Amino acid sequence: MSRMSGPDDARRRRTRQALIRAGETLLAERPVDAIAVDDIVREAGVAKGSFFNHFSDKSALALAVATEVRLRMEQRVGAVNAGLGDPEERLVRGVCAFIQYARTHPAEARAMLRSQDRPAPPDHPLNAGLRADLEAGLERGSFRAPGLDPAVLMVSGVCQILLSSVLDGPRSAVRDRGLVAETLALMLGGLGLSGEAAERRARDAAEDLIR
């Protein structure tokens, strides 16, 4: 029995990943409501019954797709913020990293947006890094907000709106840098930074990371 569990587990993981990759490919092209389970298993190259061994429905698959893409984006955020301790800088650079990832991987970003109709809840594990940066800023007095959860929701909403705007707009680094810098300055103002400081932080991050 134990000798069979290894190959069986590996096979299940391969099938699940094939379904997630298929979902990502299809969601980059059209909304989840326009995708049939038959489309997914055909794209994945697996039997139809395999789908329901891993996912209860298309919404569950879409959630898995959104999680996979978000994890890749979070890895990028971690890379651009490595070694940085200032929560203001980490926050704006993290948003810029999200946007730049979407610019260089538009199909993945579009699949993620189509996989979810709202940002993840404030206490979702995927928001752990964002929560930590905001919490640090609130404790230092750099940020002001009625609570941590509202601050997480605001930044998450800004990210989602910017991603949609970048994906739906003309492909222009100049346009995206300006849009991101101006939007992030407004976001920082909402978190209590002065106008000049907010504009400088946002501009520096956008010029460094939006290419």
Side-chain angles (χ1 to χ4, degrees), residues 99 161-166 173-186 206:
I99 303 309
I161 291 168
L162 279 174
L163 284 173
S164 296
S165 181
V166 166
V174 173
R175 177 257 187 190
D176 291 346
R177 271 196 299 273
L179 177 65
V180 170
E182 292 171 5
T183 304
L184 290 185
L186 289 171

Side-chain angles (χ1 to χ4, degrees), residues 17-161:
Q17 282 304 118
L19 289 165
I20 292 174
R21 287 194 301 271
E24 185 177 318
T25 297
L26 295 169
L27 283 163
E29 300 170 352
R30 55 190 189 270
V32 65
D33 289 343
I35 300 170
V37 172
D38 286 340
D39 298 331
I40 297 166
V41 296
R42 185 183 306 113
E43 179 71 26
V46 302
K48 187 171 184 177
S50 297
F51 179 89
F52 295 103
N53 288 335
H54 294 272
F55 302 102
S56 58
D57 53 25
K58 293 185 297 180
S59 295
L61 173 63
L63 178 60
V65 169
T67 300
E68 289 261 333
V69 177
R70 177 71 185 277
L71 285 170
R72 293 174 213 153
M73 287 180 156
E74 290 294 336
Q75 288 176 348
R76 177 60 181 157
V77 172
V80 302
N81 279 341
L84 299 178
D86 186 295
E88 299 169 23
E89 185 176 10
R90 289 179 59 85
L91 182 63
V92 292
R93 286 175 63 86
V95 175
C96 287
F98 260 63
I99 303 309
Q100 181 59 17
Y101 192 97
R103 296 185 73 255
T104 55
H105 303 81
E108 292 180 30
R110 199 176 298 281
M112 184 186 73
L113 287 178
R114 286 178 174 155
S115 298
Q116 52 188 18
D117 56 4
R118 63 184 64 88
D123 59 351
H124 194 284
L126 287 172
N127 285 327
L130 172 58
R131 288 181 69 87
D133 290 339
L134 286 168
E135 189 170 24
L138 290 168
E139 288 177 353
R140 283 179 30 164
S142 302
F143 300 145
R144 294 193 298 274
L148 182 57
D149 282 359
V152 172
L153 284 175
M154 181 177 73
V155 176
S156 297
V158 168
C159 282
Q160 189 154 359
I161 291 168

